[in-house]
């Protein structure tokens, strides 16, 4: 189980339990199930509307996360990551703080999601 806290200045923070490890359990799906108004459009990693900032908030070691080509392309287009930063994240085996909610699979870690 992971605790996912959604935070937005216009809404009350909401923390939900997520079953980690399911390949279909994207952050966007969890948000929709819990009526959290994360924006979205394509739901396929192409439009960038579901951009969120994700911070790990538990004591575990951070785990690297491989961004798909689609997600890398959109995050670069949005000016959130450069190719150098993406390369460095791979070298350091660290996750990107910027993610697309429709592409991010929730793992067994507690996270703060700013949307
Ligand atoms: Fe379009 Fe996530 S909804 S990239």
């Amino acid at each position: 189980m992971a605790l996912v806290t959604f935070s937005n200045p216009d809404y009350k923070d909401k923390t939900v339990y997520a079953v980690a490890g399911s390949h279909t359990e994207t952050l966007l799906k969890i948000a929709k199930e819990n009526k959290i108004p994360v924006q979205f459009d394509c739901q396929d990693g192409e439009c960038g509307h579901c951009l969120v900032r994700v911070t790990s908030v538990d004591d575990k070691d951070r785990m690297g996360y491989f961004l798909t080509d689609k997600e890398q392309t959109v995050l670069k287009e949005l000016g959130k990551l450069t190719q150098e930063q993406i390369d460095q994240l791979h070298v350091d085996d660290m996750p990107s703080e910027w993610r697309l909610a429709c592409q991010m699979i929730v793992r067994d870690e507690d996270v703060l999601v700013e949307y």
Side-chain angles (χ1 to χ4, degrees):
M1 285 289 228
L3 280 178
V4 180
T5 300
F6 290 91
S7 181
N8 178 296
D10 294 337
Y11 302 97
K12 225 174 127 202
D13 284 6
K14 187 165 183 182
T15 300
V16 300
Y17 282 108
V19 179
S22 160
H23 290 297
T24 57
E25 204 72 1
T26 66
L27 205 48
L28 181 61
K29 184 172 174 221
I30 293 167
K32 287 163 74 178
E33 283 170 0
N34 289 280
K35 300 187 176 14
I36 294 157
V38 173
Q39 289 188 27
F40 64 91
D41 186 7
C42 72
Q43 301 186 66
D44 193 29
E46 294 188 348
C47 71
H49 285 166
C50 65
L51 178 73
V52 291
R53 184 178 214 157
V54 179
T55 312
S56 177
V57 292
D58 63 22
D59 296 335
K60 296 180 204 155
D61 287 339
R62 311 250 351 241
M63 294 178 274
Y65 194 104
F66 188 76
L67 298 171
T68 62
D69 289 347
K70 258 188 204 174
E71 196 170 5
Q72 289 182 27
T73 300
V74 173
L75 291 173
K76 282 192 282 187
E77 281 171 5
L78 294 172
K80 296 302 181 189
L81 286 177
T82 63
Q83 186 59 52
E84 291 72 37
Q85 289 170 317
I86 290 169
D87 293 344
Q88 195 59 46
L89 290 170
H90 285 184
V91 170
D92 297 341
D93 196 25
M94 291 296 282
S96 166
E97 67 177 332
W98 294 105
R99 295 301 310 269
L100 298 175
C102 71
Q103 299 297 296
M104 179 173 168
I105 303 292
V106 176
R107 300 184 302 181
D108 188 19
E109 64 180 342
D110 298 342
V111 290
L112 171 68
V113 177
E114 296 166 81
Y115 64 99

